[in-house]
Amino acid sequence: MTRTLMTLNPDAKIWSDEAGFHVDVRPVLFNGGEPFSCVVNCANQLVAGDSLIIHTPFEAKPLVNQLVKMGFEPLVKKEIDMDHWTVLIKK
């Protein structure tokens, strides 16, 4: 991918690979920050066909529900380990 996403929070980690764009908000939470606006900002930068993999320390059901209301499709939720969950959304 040649595009990059911008984040509102410098603690968030953003990268891209063949699966899509990634935003890891675990550092945001660990530093006492609020990750919701960071994720929504990244999601709003997606174009049709893009995927965003969101990395969180827990299953983020309220976040996923809000993204669905905004028109995003959750495709895969996965527990990587006890404090690492991912959800893939598609625009």
Side-chain angles (χ1 to χ4, degrees):
M1 299 196 154
T2 57
R3 292 183 8 255
T4 59
L5 299 181
M6 301 302 292
T7 180
L8 297 175
N9 189 313
D11 290 332
K13 307 298 181 216
I14 296 181
W15 71 96
S16 62
D17 62 19
E18 64 280 350
F21 294 103
H22 294 255
V23 59
D24 188 345
V25 296
R26 292 175 298 162
V28 175
L29 288 162
F30 295 145
N31 289 323
E34 185 279 305
F36 179 77
S37 58
C38 176
V39 171
V40 169
N41 178 263
C42 288
N44 283 333
Q45 295 174 64
L46 300 178
V47 298
D50 281 348
S51 296
L52 178 65
I53 298 97
I54 305 160
H55 299 259
T56 62
F58 49 81
E59 186 176 10
K61 288 181 183 181
L63 172 64
V64 172
N65 291 340
Q66 187 62 39
L67 291 168
V68 167
K69 288 178 186 176
M70 295 170 60
F72 295 95
E73 179 182 5
L75 299 176
V76 179
K77 291 184 223 175
K78 187 175 183 183
E79 183 177 13
I80 307 300
D81 61 39
M82 280 181 41
D83 62 351
H84 186 185
W85 284 75
T86 61
V87 61
L88 181 146
I89 63 166
K90 192 152 186 108
K91 176 91 176 201

